[in-house]
Amino acid sequence: MKKFILTTLFLIVIFQYSFYAQSLQIKSSYHDYKSIYLKTKVKLLDEFIKRFNGDYSYLGDSINKFSRQDKLRFIIDYEYWQKDSVLIESLIESITRNCFYIEFDKNNWYAKVECLFKYNKKPQIATINMQIETDSLGQSRWTLISAELPFINQNAIFSSDDFINPVNNETGFSEFHKMFSSEKILALTNSDFSYNHLSVFIYLLQTKQLEFQQVNNTTYIFYTSEYCFKVNNFNREHFNSGWLISEIEYNDLPVPIFYSIDRLKLQWENQNRKLLEIINSKNIF
Amino acid sequence: MYKILLFIGFILVIVPNCLKAQSTIKTLSNTDYENIKTGTLEKITELESYIIAMTDKAISHSIKQQAVSNAVKLFSSEDNIVQVSNTINTNIDTYKIRNYFNHIMVLGYSRVEIKWYDVDYYTDLHKGSDGKYYAVVTVFQKFEGYHGDNIIYSDITQKNIEIEIDIKEDPHGETFWKVALGDISVVQTR
């Protein structure tokens, strides 16, 4: 089955080339070959979206001979195809069955940007998650939604020596002098504490402790109702190059991960509102 | 009476503001889009001709400098950058546009040949928070550096060029589009 699919894919790519070559009546010189593969390359994410949606006739009318399923097969990394053809076919089936199309200003996709920074004079990699935000006037901008800073100490490690004793309040929290002047501060945090990396990232940049060097690479993550898939750039000298689907997973989350931040914020606001209502109704103060 | 005056005052303040807001919301027709696309591709062609002049050893230094100045004028700002990446390592070199042009002007080859492939790609236009429209044009360039008759360096690069489209109004109140180039990323293809 796998071999059959790969052979089909190969034939599709060859037909894709020959249709185009015939339509232009070109000679098969190196230059022409190069031109054709550059034309078939998915050059920008915008082109990926158009080809995903079947909106872009990058090979003239010849591309219209193919079904949407075939057009989707052109924008999948062939190396990934060799690994997981079953999942790829089920994604394609799901996309066509649900008539799923990518819309630029919908928030069911975001960019994962791996960047090189300098932190404490050492090179460090951080991942910045960016999303398009569009206002009521249709004006768009990329916004920071979260950050992943693996070089920041992730977890508070509790030590039996590093704590503030339960009656220290009675001496005006006299142990603050000891605890706040060292790295022991993490030991003071609540057991479910975790850093808000975006806040840390902004603070480190503002205080110039973190210095941006360059963007190493970008991965785009798209969510459908049933799957999420990654799109990466492949710089190859053949017909399967440019921005291509590189990985697929089942989307078993009720909402994409990055929505949960907003959801938590909403929960927190609702809880606070309820608390205020209780306080007001009982005239506590 | 006071309420009526207040209401009229409210209308007089709100209506002109609404009209003003409406006049700033421009939507592009297909003709606008095609005109902008044509104008942009002309700018790219102009940039290509300046780059060819900058790298031509037969052209005098003063004319090359003029080509650099003219090329810079195609951009929205001197602060626009060119980012150059290659396939050998992950390093990305970043230049201000004028520095980039000065850099390619003094490449150490006895002769340079630059060809532009007849492949380009124009993205959709997107409106930014500043009200300007933005797009990216992709072009491919083949570069060959010679020492005598021998090619000592050759590459094919994909240039992704940002485009900024600003809505302007002439003294007669007619709107027109001003197209300028923005940042460029240069990606070496294998």
Side-chain angles (χ1 to χ4, degrees):
Chain A
M1 181 62 186
K2 203 171 172 180
K3 273 189 179 171
F4 172 75
I5 291 168
L6 281 171
T7 313
T8 312
L9 181 72
F10 174 75
L11 287 173
I12 285 169
V13 170
I14 293 296
F15 278 131
Q16 183 187 12
Y17 166 77
S18 62
F19 272 128
Y20 184 65
Q22 280 167 20
S23 66
L24 289 183
Q25 292 186 324
I26 55 171
K27 294 171 191 171
S28 57
S29 69
Y30 173 78
H31 183 277
D32 295 329
Y33 165 81
K34 197 91 184 174
S35 290
I36 294 165
Y37 109 73
L38 291 178
K39 246 187 173 49
T40 58
K41 181 180 183 181
V42 190
K43 295 168 274 296
L44 299 168
L45 186 78
D46 182 274
E47 185 176 345
F48 172 84
I49 293 174
K50 282 182 188 155
R51 285 171 64 167
F52 183 97
N53 292 342
D55 289 342
Y56 182 50
S57 302
Y58 60 102
L59 295 178
D61 290 339
S62 58
I63 196 69
N64 296 329
K65 293 177 169 64
F66 298 101
S67 65
R68 183 163 187 219
Q69 284 95 323
D70 285 339
K71 286 178 189 171
L72 287 168
R73 286 184 187 108
F74 295 154
I75 52 170
I76 291 165
D77 167 35
Y78 78 99
E79 284 177 3
Y80 182 59
W81 196 294
Q82 289 171 329
K83 282 183 209 156
D84 216 337
S85 57
V86 175
L87 194 57
I88 290 169
E89 283 301 327
S90 56
L91 171 77
I92 291 171
E93 188 275 327
S94 166
I95 288 168
T96 46
R97 175 170 39 85
N98 295 312
C99 296
F100 176 80
Y101 294 95
I102 297 172
E103 291 175 67
F104 181 81
D105 47 11
K106 285 271 154 55
N107 59 0
N108 58 353
W109 66 284
Y110 70 102
K112 229 174 168 49
V113 191
E114 189 196 281
C115 303
L116 179 68
F117 287 91
K118 206 178 262 181
Y119 177 62
N120 286 341
K121 296 179 182 171
K122 285 182 189 164
Q124 298 285 3
I125 302 285
T127 304
I128 313 302
N129 297 320
M130 306 287 295
Q131 194 174 35
I132 286 284
E133 186 180 79
T134 305
D135 65 18
S136 55
L137 294 173
Q139 300 182 151
S140 309
R141 65 192 185 109
W142 279 102
T143 55
L144 264 173
I145 52 168
S146 61
E148 296 159 32
L149 312 175
F151 50 91
I152 295 292
N153 193 1
Q154 299 283 327
N155 303 310
I157 302 160
F158 179 75
S159 152
S160 55
D161 295 330
D162 300 327
F163 71 102
I164 294 182
N165 75 61
V167 295
N168 191 240
N169 58 310
E170 306 293 3
T171 55
F173 288 103
S174 57
E175 292 206 42
F176 275 9
H177 282 287
K178 184 180 75 183
M179 301 300 286
F180 284 2
S181 60
S182 69
E183 287 190 357
K184 292 174 182 175
I185 186 70
L186 271 179
L188 290 188
T189 56
N190 196 290
S191 53
D192 57 2
F193 167 81
S194 68
Y195 280 110
N196 175 340
H197 279 205
L198 182 56
S199 301
V200 174
F201 172 68
I202 291 169
Y203 174 77
L204 292 177
L205 277 175
Q206 284 178 329
T207 54
K208 301 191 190 313
Q209 295 178 67
L210 196 62
E211 195 185 322
F212 174 75
Q213 302 290 299
Q214 66 176 46
V215 170
N216 281 353
N217 67 65
T218 304
T219 301
Y220 296 97
I221 317 258
F222 293 87
Y223 288 87
T224 73
S225 56
E226 295 170 324
Y227 295 90
C228 73
F229 59 89
K230 289 182 184 172
V231 174
N232 282 93
N233 193 19
F234 296 88
N235 196 359
R236 300 173 177 140
E237 196 171 340
H238 57 64
F239 295 104
N240 189 250
S241 69
W243 293 97
L244 302 168
I245 294 176
S246 58
E247 203 180 329
I248 302 165
E249 281 176 20
Y250 290 106
N251 179 12
D252 48 7
L253 295 164
V255 285
I257 299 160
F258 56 93
Y259 289 166
S260 55
I261 301 162
D262 286 341
R263 207 165 53 156
L264 284 174
K265 198 176 151 195
L266 197 69
Q267 276 176 0
W268 182 81
E269 283 171 356
N270 285 341
Q271 276 174 2
N272 272 359
R273 202 174 298 124
K274 277 181 192 163
L275 192 67
L276 273 173
E277 281 167 11
I278 293 166
I279 290 168
N280 289 337
S281 63
K282 293 190 175 172
N283 291 322
I284 289 174
F285 299 111
Chain B
M1 185 60 187
Y2 173 74
K3 276 187 179 172
I4 292 169
L5 283 172
L6 201 67
F7 179 71
I8 292 168
F10 174 76
I11 295 293
L12 286 173
V13 170
I14 291 298
V15 170
N17 277 338
C18 288
L19 289 174
K20 195 178 168 188
Q22 276 180 2
S23 69
T24 57
I25 304 167
K26 302 280 179 195
T27 49
L28 292 170
S29 66
N30 283 343
T31 318
D32 286 334
Y33 182 80
E34 285 307 318
N35 288 342
I36 288 168
K37 193 174 168 181
T38 309
T40 303
L41 293 175
E42 280 169 7
K43 292 238 176 208
I44 304 283
T45 311
E46 202 178 335
L47 176 67
E48 289 169 359
S49 65
Y50 292 138
I51 289 176
I52 289 169
M54 285 170 212
T55 53
D56 190 340
K57 295 285 171 191
I59 289 177
S60 71
H61 185 73
S62 61
I63 293 177
K64 283 183 181 180
Q65 283 289 1
Q66 191 57 49
V68 170
S69 298
N70 289 346
V72 169
K73 280 178 197 160
L74 297 172
F75 289 79
S76 64
S77 152
E78 284 259 357
D79 290 333
N80 285 124
I81 57 165
V82 180
Q83 287 196 318
V84 184
S85 59
N86 60 58
T87 53
I88 300 160
N89 55 44
T90 56
N91 292 347
I92 295 170
D93 296 321
T94 303
Y95 305 88
K96 288 249 179 103
I97 40 167
R98 190 177 286 277
N99 293 344
Y100 177 73
F101 294 140
N102 287 332
H103 167 72
I104 60 171
M105 203 171 70
V106 292
L107 290 173
Y109 305 106
S110 59
R111 183 166 61 92
V112 162
E113 272 192 26
I114 290 179
K115 286 178 193 162
W116 300 86
Y117 282 92
D118 185 22
V119 177
D120 53 60
Y121 181 81
Y122 199 102
T123 68
D124 282 343
L125 291 168
H126 296 284
K127 202 174 184 182
S129 293
D130 55 0
K132 289 181 189 171
Y133 285 88
Y134 292 85
V136 173
V137 175
T138 296
V139 289
F140 289 92
Q141 179 199 62
K142 185 175 187 182
F143 177 94
E144 287 174 338
Y146 288 80
H147 191 72
D149 287 337
N150 302 322
I151 297 176
I152 54 170
Y153 180 79
S154 164
D155 71 11
I156 294 174
T157 52
Q158 175 179 338
K159 289 186 165 58
N160 301 327
I161 306 168
E162 280 185 356
I163 309 295
E164 289 181 23
I165 298 118
D166 198 3
I167 309 164
K168 296 275 185 188
E169 214 168 75
D170 68 13
H172 308 290
E174 294 289 316
T175 54
F176 63 98
W177 311 98
K178 193 184 171 211
V179 178
L181 308 182
D183 292 346
I184 298 179
S185 76
V186 181
V187 187
Q188 198 179 51
T189 63
R190 283 178 201 273

